Amino acid sequence: MATIHTSTWEAVEPRFSGLLPVGVFLLLFIGSGVVLQDFYSIPAIVAFVCALAVAFIQNPKRSFDDKLESVARSMGDSNVMIMCLVFVLAGAFTGSVQSAGGVESTVNFALSILPTGIVLPGLFLIACFISISMGTSVGTIAALAPIACGVADKTELAGALCLGAIVGGAMFGDNLSIISDTTIAATRTQGCEMADKFKENFKIALPAAIITFIVFLALGLGSDYHIEGSLEYNLWQVLPYVAVLVAALAGVNVFLVLIGGTVLSIIVGVALGVIPVDQVFIAIGTGLEGNGGIMNMYDITVISIVCAGIIGLVRDNGGIEWILQRISGLVKGKRGAQFGIAGLASLVDISTANNTVAIVVAGPIVKQISEEYNISARRAASLVDVFTSVWQGIIPYGAQILYASAGAAAVGMAVSPFEILPFLFYPYLLAACALVYIAIWGNRE
């Protein structure tokens, strides 16, 4: 088989040993999670730095300066740098819109229009709306988990069932939102526009969401729940989310979309007296509560840069060529390559328990597979995002399920991550719809 390469990188001999840095990362990350019963006990960046050190030690025939040049070249790739800039701007928008009261108003607005007769599918729809607006599944689950438990407490519905509804809705938006870090990573690593990836994704996600809604509707028949207390909201505070979504789908450049959304959020916040004029830059940098903004994107930005450096040395040492050779030996044709992308994305997410990191790690390999088998960038971006989102919404040691369980515990309801698994209908159906989509339309674009 001919060695696969692009015009940017020279062809190398496939070598399994080239994957040693990846193995070191997985050993540290997974090993610490198993031993310490906490998959977040070691910061991912620390495990990646250790993997980078191992990559430098490999291949002693090359000089250190030569390896350093390779790492710097990979880190400085235009797609990596653009992706990091988009992360920063997404953080700025998130911090400003949260500081302007957008999150609370969006949640309250969604709850205020919740039909009381279809409370269970209503929870799913609200989670879909909030997550696609906010671009974060964890944030959506953290906001809605106590509400879901309140619904369970005042109806005959199981707590795990209600939590399954909001986790499913949260993963819907995480996968589709144009301000989600997974969307940013998927589109930048594959080189496609966000609007194109959204349209490709929507073909898979919509049928899964419709079926999920019907399932929850059937399971929730006869249940009723009325929200108690005041649900105050201001549609001006919801406006920045809507404006960003509409502009992105209209094909406006993502930089302009996020800058415009940030400016609009600040204007709304200052006009309503929510953001003091002298704290505008604090709102953008960290959020007024100190838990958002640009600072909140530092981890994933640094991880992306370090990971790109590791991938550069792994590629030079033949690791990526080895994976491509094995995948090419297992798959046949364009459809098979897409199943290969699905499998690769799934394995990496199961290993890392972070869908954004999984996309950053798998992205360069997926890019080369898509080029070899003539798969469009939008299809590749869609598939890698879909299957990492599927597993991120299922694995019991992922942040999403853990946050749902912790949210229940915070209001005095004991629901283990494993109790939620049977009710994660949306991730299961998303996987099924994606596999059917590949099987039927895998050879067509």
Side-chain angles (χ1 to χ4, degrees):
M1 171 192 158
T3 303
I4 303 168
H5 62 93
T6 67
S7 58
T8 308
W9 302 94
E10 295 181 359
V12 295
E13 191 70 25
R15 292 188 183 90
F16 176 70
S17 60
L19 295 172
L20 180 60
V22 179
V24 169
F25 166 76
L26 295 178
L27 181 63
L28 287 173
F29 196 76
I30 298 177
S32 64
V34 172
V35 173
L36 302 175
Q37 301 293 304
D38 180 6
F39 277 82
Y40 298 91
S41 57
I42 293 183
I45 184 60
V46 175
F48 274 118
V49 168
C50 292
L52 180 61
V54 170
F56 269 113
I57 294 171
Q58 281 189 292
N59 197 358
K61 293 181 180 180
R62 292 182 67 191
S63 69
F64 182 83
D65 287 343
D66 188 28
K67 295 175 185 176
L68 189 59
E69 177 65 26
S70 180
V71 168
R73 180 160 53 105
S74 187
M75 286 179 169
D77 180 82
S78 61
N79 278 323
V80 175
M81 289 296 99
I82 291 173
M83 177 172 64
C84 291
L85 286 173
V86 175
F87 281 146
V88 170
L89 291 177
F93 171 68
T94 301
S96 60
V97 75
Q98 287 178 342
S99 298
V103 175
E104 184 177 359
S105 272
T106 302
V107 171
N108 287 348
F109 171 69
L111 289 173
S112 68
I113 61 174
L114 172 66
T116 58
I118 56 168
V119 60
L120 188 57
L123 282 175
F124 173 70
L125 287 181
I126 287 174
C128 289
F129 172 71
I130 292 174
S131 59
I132 204 168
S133 300
M134 294 171 56
T136 166
S137 54
V138 169
T140 299
I141 293 167
L144 293 181
I147 296 170
C149 292
V151 169
D153 187 52
K154 295 186 179 182
T155 63
E156 296 180 354
L157 299 172
L161 175 60
C162 293
L163 289 171
I166 66 165
V167 170
M171 297 316 300
F172 173 86
D174 189 275
N175 178 221
L176 286 174
S177 175
I178 60 93
I179 59 171
S180 167
D181 46 8
T182 58
T183 295
I184 295 168
T187 53
R188 293 318 312 174
T189 57
Q190 303 311 307
C192 72
E193 296 297 325
M194 290 189 177
D196 292 336
K197 181 261 186 188
F198 178 92
K199 294 170 185 175
E200 189 76 18
N201 244 156
F202 201 65
K203 301 173 188 176
I204 300 172
L206 182 60
I210 292 173
I211 298 171
T212 301
F213 179 85
I214 294 172
V215 171
F216 281 129
L217 182 63
L219 292 175
L221 286 176
S223 60
D224 197 1
Y225 176 76
H226 296 274
I227 302 292
E228 298 179 354
S230 175
L231 290 174
E232 296 181 1
Y233 63 88
N234 188 318
L235 290 179
W236 286 109
Q237 294 171 315
V238 181
L239 178 62
Y241 285 127
V242 177
V244 163
L245 178 61
V246 171
L249 293 180
V252 179
N253 181 278
V254 64
F255 284 90
L256 297 178
V257 169
L258 293 174
I259 291 172
T262 301
V263 171
L264 180 59
S265 299
I266 292 298
I267 292 173
V268 169
V270 171
L272 295 177
V274 180
I275 301 177
V277 176
D278 61 349
Q279 295 189 40
V280 165
F281 295 110
I282 294 175
I284 296 172
T286 63
L288 294 184
E289 296 182 1
N291 59 353
I294 294 174
M295 292 289 289
N296 199 43
M297 303 301 285
Y298 274 14
D299 279 356
I300 189 58
T301 301
V302 174
I303 285 173
S304 299
I305 294 172
V306 173
C307 185
I310 295 172
I311 293 297
L313 288 180
V314 168
R315 180 188 285 109
D316 289 349
N317 292 332
I320 289 182
E321 301 293 351
W322 186 88
I323 292 176
L324 293 172
Q325 189 180 70
R326 291 299 177 274
I327 290 177
S328 297
L330 293 173
V331 305
K332 302 295 182 183
K334 191 172 183 177
R335 182 186 289 114
Q338 291 172 65
F339 281 120
I341 290 173
L344 176 65
S346 299
L347 287 173
V348 178
D349 187 77
I350 291 169
S351 300
T352 60
N354 185 306
N355 47 342
T356 306
V357 172
I359 292 170
V360 171
V361 172
I365 305 172
V366 171
K367 177 68 172 173
Q368 290 191 247
I369 294 173
S370 64
E371 290 177 350
E372 171 69 8
Y373 289 93
N374 197 30
I375 300 168
S376 68
R378 67 178 185 275
R379 176 73 60 85
S382 173
L383 292 178
V384 73
D385 198 350
V386 163
F387 283 95
T388 53
S389 292
V390 163
W391 287 100
Q392 195 61 34
I394 294 174
I395 51 176
Y397 50 88
Q400 286 74 7
I401 307 300
L402 293 177
Y403 263 84
S405 180
V411 294
M413 181 178 289
V415 181
S416 76
F418 293 97
E419 290 180 89
I420 303 173
L421 296 186
F423 304 110
L424 299 172
F425 303 117
Y426 177 74
Y428 300 141
L429 287 166
L430 181 63
C433 288
L435 292 173
V436 170
Y437 186 76
I438 295 172
I440 296 177
W441 291 285
N443 287 330
R444 289 179 279 175
E445 288 291 344

